[in-house]
Amino acid sequence: MADRLPIVVDLDHTLLRTDTLDESFVRALFHHPRAAAAALLALPRGRLAVKSALAEGVPLEPAELPLREDLLAWLRACAEAGHALHLCTAAHQSVADAVAAELGLFESVIGSRDHNLKGEAKAAALVELFPQGFIYAGDSRADLAVWRHAAGIVLAGAAPATAAAARSLGPPVVAEFAGERAGWRDWLRAGRLHHASKNLVVFVPLILGQGWRDFGHVMEALLAFALLLLLTSSTYLLNDLADLRADRAHWSKRHRPIPSARIPIRAALAAGVLGVMVALLAGLLVSVPLFAGLAAYLALTLAYSFGLKRVPLLDTLIIALLFGLRILVGVAALGQPVSGYLMTFALFFFFSLATAKRHTEILRAGPEGAASLAARGYRPADAELTLVVGVAAALGSLIVLVLYLMQDAFLRVPYADPWWLWAPPLLIAIWMGRIWLLSHRGEMQDDPVSFAIRDRTSWGLGAAVGVAYLLAL
């Protein structure tokens, strides 16, 4: 380092924690389908043709890409010490230029234009440009070809095997920056397995229909729950990919495994698609109605991810519909008739909870979260509207529940002491009032369902509802 040799930096997974080609393709897939189709059609012409098609159809926003901050700080210090910094990447030249312009650090920018600048091609280009020697910062096995000719090695996010191979080449390791490898906790968090409680509504038809007395019905409900859990976790992965831009502007969502790039885009996309295929195939093997319920859930989720999530209030209605479809999956698994009262109550109830979540986000967004709100179609002034609509939906769900008790439960369903069923509407009213009070105060830290899992008061009210139901039996 004493000779102040020029430092050449790779872009994908080195200076950035992500891959710009994957970023472009996912953005095209969910927001610019024509550009995604053009990229796929360019595949026979090679990787560079794909990069060119995506660069032309889906320009990236460099300011939104996750940087490797520790490496960036080191590069700034090296620049102050007199080292010339250069960006050399296999990414398309236009992408490299945009990132370099955003950072304002590099004296030159070299990207793929006429050929894919990777491995030996990159090594040959750098040896010709810097005959006096250079220090190279990279991360992948393809960079081993460059490190062989470098005077110094900088490891940035390299896998242990790649780092060991680089050390054996001879040039000294000048600096090393560890990468964040996704662990099983990251995958569980990305798949929202902590939201598995939302899928418990699959068991509602089993409970209300008193199907727990039949072991076969219990196993059918458990299987439906498992398949729905696999499907919802997979769609959460796809949803995060579809919403990368908005999530990275969000005050809390930017720390999720996929927006923060701890889980690579390519791995998340592969896991999401595979999980969806397995869930649907297994559902089809069980029964056609179960497959239909899972397929309908998938179709509505994809419609939500592809654009309906950006329509104010329609987004919360779709969330309510998704909860309704979870109940229908439980109905399909048991082969029971659909209860109009149950479905109407569920739609009003979950619409209110989804709106409470949006209300909290609007109140907490502040000036820094305006971009995230805009991506969802909301504005800070919409807080009054979400409050009124959400509370009205909560009251509507309670009215439907009371009508069910008066016109159906007391007359048809065999309860030993049905008067105990008056307790659940009162307890649910107390719980929903508390949810909206905390939401309007901006004290709701998560969506109401996840909040209830960790809230002792919610557990107490839920237990009271269960006791009342058992006493009614």
Side-chain angles (χ1 to χ4, degrees):
M1 296 289 287
D3 296 333
R4 293 188 176 86
L5 289 173
I7 300 176
V8 182
V9 186
D10 185 32
L11 181 63
D12 295 328
H13 295 297
T14 301
L15 183 60
L16 299 177
R17 296 182 179 274
T18 186
D19 187 294
T20 53
L21 179 60
D22 294 345
E23 293 271 345
S24 297
F25 179 74
V26 164
R27 185 167 296 183
L29 183 64
F30 288 99
H31 305 290
H32 305 279
R34 291 184 180 179
L40 292 175
L41 292 174
L43 270 174
R45 303 199 305 272
R47 195 176 183 87
L48 181 59
V50 175
K51 294 179 181 180
S52 299
L54 289 173
E56 181 179 349
V58 190
L60 291 177
E61 297 292 338
E64 300 170 357
L65 299 176
L67 292 162
R68 196 175 298 281
E69 297 291 349
D70 50 358
L71 173 61
L72 184 60
W74 181 80
L75 290 173
R76 294 187 191 278
C78 290
E80 292 177 0
H83 291 271
L85 303 181
H86 304 269
L87 184 63
C88 185
T89 173
H92 193 269
Q93 183 69 51
S94 62
V95 174
D97 288 337
V99 174
E102 176 70 23
L103 295 176
L105 273 180
F106 301 102
E107 295 188 8
S108 70
V109 183
I110 311 165
S112 294
R113 191 189 299 272
D114 299 322
H115 58 280
N116 197 36
L117 199 64
K118 188 174 183 178
E120 294 292 348
K122 181 185 286 190
L126 293 181
V127 168
E128 182 179 352
L129 288 171
F130 305 105
Q132 78 281 13
F134 60 91
I135 298 168
Y136 180 72
D139 72 285
S140 69
R141 295 197 66 83
D143 292 323
L144 293 172
V146 183
W147 281 322
R148 288 191 185 94
H149 302 277
I153 295 174
V154 177
L155 298 170
T162 301
R167 289 189 179 92
S168 68
L169 294 176
V173 176
V174 174
E176 184 170 0
F177 304 91
E180 294 184 0
R181 303 294 168 184
W184 63 271
R185 293 180 185 275
D186 291 310
W187 282 101
L188 291 181
R189 186 182 175 197
R192 312 288 204 285
L193 285 194
H194 59 291
H195 286 180
S197 58
K198 296 178 180 179
N199 292 328
L200 291 175
V201 296
V202 168
F203 296 106
V204 169
L206 180 76
I207 295 172
L208 295 182
Q210 302 181 25
W212 68 81
R213 306 174 190 273
D214 188 318
F215 178 76
H217 284 338
V218 173
M219 296 306 298
E220 290 167 350
L222 287 172
L223 178 58
F225 173 78
L227 294 180
L228 187 60
L229 182 60
L230 176 59
L231 182 65
T232 54
S233 294
S234 301
T235 55
Y236 275 130
L237 296 179
L238 299 177
N239 182 69
D240 277 1
L241 293 174
D243 215 24
L244 271 178
R245 186 174 184 181
D247 285 354
R248 285 173 178 164
H250 192 271
W251 60 276
S252 65
K253 294 180 182 179
R254 64 173 178 265
H255 301 300
R256 288 176 177 175
I258 295 176
S260 65
R262 285 197 303 279
I263 292 180
I265 287 176
R266 199 172 304 181
L269 182 61
V273 172
L274 180 62
V276 166
M277 293 175 63
V278 170
L280 291 180
L281 179 59
L284 182 60
L285 293 176
V286 173
S287 71
V288 173
L290 180 58
F291 168 79
L294 294 172
Y297 183 94
L298 174 63
L300 190 57
T301 299
L302 292 179
Y304 178 81
S305 297
F306 271 89
L308 295 184
K309 62 167 41 176
R310 298 172 188 85
V311 182
L313 295 184
L314 179 60
D315 63 331
T316 54
L317 176 59
I318 290 176
I319 293 174
L321 290 172
L322 289 173
F323 273 101
L325 282 173
R326 287 178 169 101
I327 295 175
L328 288 178
V329 166
V331 171
L334 300 176
Q336 294 180 345
V338 179
S339 168
Y341 282 111
L342 174 61
M343 296 308 302
T344 305
F345 165 78
L347 290 179
F348 276 106
F349 181 78
F350 290 113
F351 177 63
S352 177
L353 296 186
T355 307
K357 179 181 179 181
R358 286 292 177 266
H359 185 68
T360 300
E361 291 177 347
I362 292 172
L363 292 178
R364 295 185 55 145
E368 294 182 356
S372 178
L373 280 183
R376 292 281 190 176
Y378 288 95
R379 302 174 184 175
D382 292 336
E384 295 180 2
L385 176 65
T386 52
L387 175 64
V388 172
V389 171
V391 172
L395 295 175
S397 69
L398 294 172
I399 292 173
V400 173
L401 182 57
V402 170
L403 289 175
Y404 162 71
L405 294 177
M406 295 177 62
Q407 300 183 12
D408 195 55
F410 289 163
L411 301 177
R412 302 179 186 178
V413 183
Y415 290 103
D417 195 354
W419 292 103
W420 283 104
L421 294 179
W422 283 115
L426 296 175
L427 295 169
I428 292 173
I430 293 171
W431 183 76
M432 295 196 74
R434 184 166 181 267
I435 288 295
W436 272 102
L437 180 65
L438 294 175
S439 177
H440 191 56
R441 289 176 175 176
E443 297 176 5
M444 185 71 62
Q445 299 296 322
D446 205 337
D447 68 86
V449 176
S450 298
F451 165 79
I453 297 173
R454 300 186 297 270
D455 180 52
R456 292 182 179 180
T457 302
S458 297
W459 276 96
L461 291 172
V465 169
V467 169
Y469 178 70
L470 291 176
L471 291 173
L473 291 177

